[in-house]
């Protein structure tokens, strides 16, 4: 909805309430043609919108208008299963989300012995886009593996290896360190197959001994300590929402976030 009728909320107020900038700065963004509503540039300061239904972006980055949606980053430690309630009584994700009142779900999974970046949210549409491999959202892993990895092995990972459920190739692979008894390998993948990094490295003769996910789409783990969760910044939320809005929906019904395969 756009226009200057009395329905809706002034665009500059909506942007300021969303934390984009002060209202005065947001007005300048509008005048400068940097703001779009539902894909169309809006330059009139009197424009009113409906935050519940209209989509807004600034400089091509989506703006979160729905304040009921929550987005967290967790550095999952090893020994914790990627579930909000584990039927076997193992340590689960509930302990990391107690300070937030919303019912949150994990986007995809990391197996119990893999640590690193896990996204938690109550935004089911966004979770579906991030977790489903057909959308091509990449993840970056650092694997400590047994043995000395050679450049030839790295090349093989990017060419592709044959697994029992079909061939798979890394989007990118890099050797970060190679010692006599162990090596560090960085793998970038968009696959959502179960335990895919561990199976790929085992196939090339270098079983994984430690595995951490450092990046998920535009999100970087940074210095977040293991076992800690934090809300995403305005910039990080915008980056995720931008991915979701640029990606067409699948024809089949979306899966809930916890139903997606483990990495």
């Amino acid at each position: 909805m756009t226009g200057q009728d009395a329905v809706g909320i002034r665009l500059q107020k909506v942007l300021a309430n969303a934390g984009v900038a002060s209202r005065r700065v947001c007005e300048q963004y509008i005048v400068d043609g940097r703001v779009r509503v539902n894909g169309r540039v809006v330059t009139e300061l009197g424009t009113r919108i409906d935050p519940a239904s209209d989509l807004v972006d600034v400089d091509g980055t989506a703006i979160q208008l729905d304040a009921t949606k929550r987005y967290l980053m967790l550095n999952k430690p090893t020994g914790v299963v990627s579930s909000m309630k584990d039927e076997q009584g193992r340590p689960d994700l509930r302990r990391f989300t107690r300070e937030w009142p919303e019912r949150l779900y994990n986007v995809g999974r990391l197996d119990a012995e893999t640590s690193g970046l896990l996204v938690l949210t109550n935004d089911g549409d966004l979770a579906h886009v991030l977790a489903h491999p057909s959308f091509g959202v990449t993840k970056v892993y650092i694997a400590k593996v047994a043995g000395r990895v050679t450049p030839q092995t790295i090349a093989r990972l990017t060419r592709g290896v044959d697994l029992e459920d079909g061939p798979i190739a890394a989007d990118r692979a890099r050797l970060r360190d190679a010692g006599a008894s162990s090596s560090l390998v960085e793998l970038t993948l968009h696959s959502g197959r179960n335990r895919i990094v561990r199976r790929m490295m085992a196939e090339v003769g270098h079983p994984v001994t430690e595995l951490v996910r450092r990046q998920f789409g535009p999100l970087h783990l940074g210095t977040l300590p293991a076992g800690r969760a934090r809300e995403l910044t305005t910039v990080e939320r915008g980056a995720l929402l931008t991915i979701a809005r640029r990606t067409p929906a699948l024809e089949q019904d979306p899966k809930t976030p916890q139903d997606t395969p483990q990495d």
Side-chain angles (χ1 to χ4, degrees):
M1 163 194 315
T2 61
Q4 298 193 36
D5 52 34
V7 179
I9 304 173
R10 287 183 180 271
L11 179 56
Q12 58 266 40
K13 181 178 180 180
V14 172
L15 291 174
N17 289 344
V20 174
S22 68
R23 192 177 301 191
R24 184 178 297 274
V25 172
C26 290
E27 289 176 350
Q28 191 61 51
Y29 287 170
I30 295 170
V31 172
D32 291 342
R34 297 170 61 181
V35 180
R36 295 190 304 176
V37 178
N38 299 325
R40 305 181 71 173
V41 175
V42 173
T43 58
E44 298 180 17
L45 292 180
T47 299
R48 294 174 179 269
I49 70 166
D50 181 358
S53 60
D54 290 325
L55 300 179
V56 178
D57 66 79
V58 177
D59 293 334
T61 297
I63 305 301
Q64 179 192 355
L65 302 183
D66 187 349
T68 67
K69 294 296 190 289
R70 187 79 67 177
Y71 308 91
L72 307 181
M73 175 192 300
L74 169 68
N75 186 350
K76 187 191 83 68
T78 58
V80 174
V81 297
S82 294
S83 172
M84 287 299 173
K85 186 176 181 180
D86 184 62
E87 296 180 354
Q88 301 179 37
R90 296 171 296 180
D92 56 38
L93 300 173
R94 286 176 293 176
R95 66 183 68 187
F96 307 113
T97 62
R98 288 170 181 160
E99 65 179 281
W100 290 280
E102 295 85 1
R103 185 182 181 186
L104 302 173
Y105 299 94
N106 45 294
V107 179
R109 299 185 180 188
L110 296 174
D111 66 62
E113 297 313 310
T114 298
S115 63
L117 201 163
L118 196 62
V119 176
L120 307 172
T121 186
N122 59 348
D123 187 337
D125 292 337
L126 177 72
H128 179 51
V129 171
L130 293 179
H132 203 286
S134 66
F135 291 122
V137 178
T138 58
K139 302 106 171 175
V140 178
Y141 300 87
I142 305 297
K144 183 178 181 181
V145 302
R148 186 178 185 87
V149 175
T150 65
Q152 289 76 19
T153 298
I154 296 296
R156 184 182 172 193
L157 290 168
T158 55
R159 286 198 308 269
V161 295
D162 291 319
L163 303 178
E164 65 274 11
D165 54 355
I168 181 72
D171 297 318
R172 290 183 295 277
R174 182 164 71 97
L175 182 60
R176 297 182 58 142
D177 185 56
S181 59
S182 65
S183 302
L184 284 180
V185 176
E186 178 181 304
L187 287 179
T188 301
L189 299 161
H190 67 271
S191 170
R193 293 196 214 172
N194 185 42
R195 298 175 66 86
I196 190 62
V197 174
R198 295 179 185 275
R199 292 193 290 136
M200 288 179 72
M201 295 310 304
E203 179 65 24
V204 297
H206 297 280
V208 171
T209 56
E210 296 178 30
L211 184 62
V212 59
R213 182 160 70 190
R214 296 293 308 176
Q215 186 175 339
F216 191 106
L219 304 180
H220 297 260
L221 192 60
T223 59
L224 185 66
R228 293 288 299 276
R230 67 166 176 83
E231 292 197 55
L232 298 187
T233 66
T234 300
V235 172
E236 289 170 335
R237 292 196 306 271
L240 291 186
L241 291 170
T242 300
I243 291 174
R245 293 182 189 178
R246 290 175 178 171
T247 308
L250 288 183
E251 294 181 359
Q252 63 264 35
D253 293 333
K255 298 179 181 180
T256 54
Q258 68 270 29
D259 287 337
T260 52
Q262 293 187 352
D263 290 313

